Amino acid sequence: MKVSDFFQGVKNVEIGGPKIAFSFDVFGVKINVTETIIISWAIVLGLTLLVLFLTHDMKKKPVKKRQVIAEFLVETVDNLVKNTMGEKFKAFGPYIAALFASSIFGSLVSLIGLRSVTADFSTTLTWALMSFVMIETAKIRTDGIGGYLKSFINPLNIISEVSTPVSMSFRHFGNVAGGMIITSLIYFALTGLSTAIGLAVPVFCIGIPAVLSLYFDLFSGFMQAFIFIMLTMIYIESACSKE
Amino acid sequence: MEKALVLAASAIGAGLAMIAGIGPGIGQGFAVGKACEAIGRQPESSGAVTRTMFIGCAVAESTGIYAFVVALILMFINPFLGKL
């Protein structure tokens, strides 16, 4: 959505990947810097600044509001990790919190008119591969390398291992990208309705898409971020427990 | 002519792909029904039941979402036009 769309309406539907901002060559390999990369770095920068602001100048007894907020956030994540994985996996808290924060801000960045970072398959695949490496590491650490390799005697296990990151990444990507496409289709349809009645300004585009956006952007983005971290925690926990 | 044929076949394929939406619909309805039963039996555990139900629903939804992604690619990206 561009700002001009609010006055003229959406006249044609364009659906494609993220736009390429610029590209450069590294030893003959062409590297494209897309919208996704720029917005991701902006989110990383924003989150870093937010965390630095919240944890700046901490006292043993909180006197400032921001320290209370920071403590509340850390406690919530710690309790979630403890309830789902158990007391001894407390060290996973920061990873889970970072994943959740970047996922939810990556999805909700569409609310201010930018392209969702998670509507790019590269982003979700990266996160899924990160979680996949952690799950496999946990498995190797529990069973030893011999026991880990022994589990692949049954070739069906290879498929079930590989399908973990594929299904995790496709679920997240599909939900957010689907929501994005449906939202643009709704704008297109409502503009067409306004033009058919004979109105120059698309009045139907005011308000009606916001209700649907509540489900497709807010609820779906939050839900997928939550499910992504829940699945990561459950997989790691079940990889660590011996039967 | 060939282009029209490919576009028509892609549209039909997208429609056929979305038949997969039946499965998650039935599955999610079943899961939510069972969760309601569980909450009715033990109202004090409604928080845990609701959380588990949402995760289960999201996992069940994934097959529907794969079909949705396939349908969207067939409709808007038109991958088979390049193969002519």
Side-chain angles (χ1 to χ4, degrees):
Chain A
M1 285 297 293
K2 292 187 290 295
V3 179
S4 63
D5 289 348
F6 287 107
F7 301 109
Q8 289 152 12
V10 183
K11 294 277 161 56
N12 55 334
V13 186
E14 275 175 40
I15 286 153
K19 289 183 193 68
I20 295 168
F22 57 92
S23 54
F24 56 89
D25 290 312
V26 177
F27 304 117
V29 182
K30 200 178 170 203
I31 292 177
N32 291 328
V33 177
T34 57
E35 254 180 313
T36 310
I37 297 175
I38 296 169
I39 299 172
S40 304
W41 275 108
I43 290 171
V44 169
L45 204 68
L47 279 175
T48 314
L49 288 177
L50 181 71
V51 170
L52 282 178
F53 170 70
L54 283 178
T55 57
H56 173 67
D57 191 22
M58 291 208 289
K59 300 267 160 42
K60 198 158 191 181
K61 260 198 163 178
V63 284
K64 292 208 176 92
K65 268 184 204 156
R66 59 186 187 209
Q67 191 180 344
V68 179
I69 295 172
E71 282 177 5
F72 166 75
L73 290 176
V74 171
E75 242 166 56
T76 313
V77 173
D78 270 354
N79 280 337
L80 182 72
V81 173
K82 258 188 244 169
N83 288 338
T84 325
M85 298 170 82
E87 184 71 44
K88 62 173 178 170
F89 294 102
K90 238 178 86 181
F92 280 102
Y95 173 68
I96 298 293
L99 204 55
F100 185 73
S102 38
S103 172
I104 198 159
F105 278 97
S107 300
L108 295 189
V109 81
S110 65
L111 291 181
I112 55 170
L114 299 170
R115 195 180 195 280
S116 284
V117 171
T118 43
D120 188 346
F121 186 55
S122 323
T123 315
T124 53
L125 185 66
T126 314
W127 292 343
L129 284 177
M130 260 154 57
S131 289
F132 179 68
V133 168
M134 295 190 99
I135 295 162
E136 298 306 298
T137 317
K139 271 188 185 165
I140 292 171
R141 212 180 269 169
T142 323
D143 300 338
I145 291 206
Y148 175 71
L149 290 176
K150 209 185 270 174
S151 71
F152 291 119
I153 288 174
N154 183 358
L156 280 179
N157 278 345
I158 299 173
I159 298 172
S160 81
E161 286 299 317
V162 171
S163 76
T164 307
V166 172
S167 79
M168 274 169 89
S169 53
F170 261 119
R171 185 179 301 123
H172 201 333
F173 160 75
N175 244 310
V176 178
M180 191 184 77
I181 289 167
I182 286 176
T183 311
S184 57
L185 285 179
I186 286 166
Y187 274 110
F188 177 62
L190 289 174
T191 309
L193 187 64
S194 312
T195 323
I197 292 176
L199 300 165
V201 180
V203 271
F204 289 106
C205 288
I206 305 167
I208 299 172
V211 181
L212 294 153
S213 171
L214 202 65
Y215 176 77
F216 285 116
D217 289 329
L218 269 177
F219 180 73
S220 191
F222 180 77
M223 215 48 221
Q224 289 308 311
F226 186 66
I227 285 154
F228 200 89
I229 60 162
M230 275 312 247
L231 283 177
T232 307
M233 286 193 283
I234 290 167
Y235 279 130
I236 293 174
E237 200 260 331
S238 67
C240 282
S241 59
K242 282 181 180 166
E243 281 109 56
Chain B
M1 181 62 201
E2 274 178 334
K3 198 185 164 192
L5 205 64
V6 168
L7 286 176
S10 296
I12 294 171
L16 286 176
M18 282 316 290
I19 293 177
I22 294 173
I26 296 173
Q28 286 186 348
F30 204 72
V32 176
K34 286 286 178 191
C36 288
E37 268 178 34
I39 292 176
R41 211 173 290 143
Q42 281 183 310
E44 67 274 7
S45 66
S46 65
V49 169
T50 313
R51 205 166 52 217
T52 318
M53 182 200 78
F54 269 124
I55 295 165
C57 278
V59 174
E61 206 181 31
S62 53
T63 47
I65 288 179
Y66 301 154
F68 185 57
V69 171
V70 169
L72 286 177
I73 289 171
L74 279 176
M75 277 198 291
F76 294 112
I77 316 288
N78 289 318
F80 298 117
L81 276 182
K83 298 246 166 73
L84 283 178

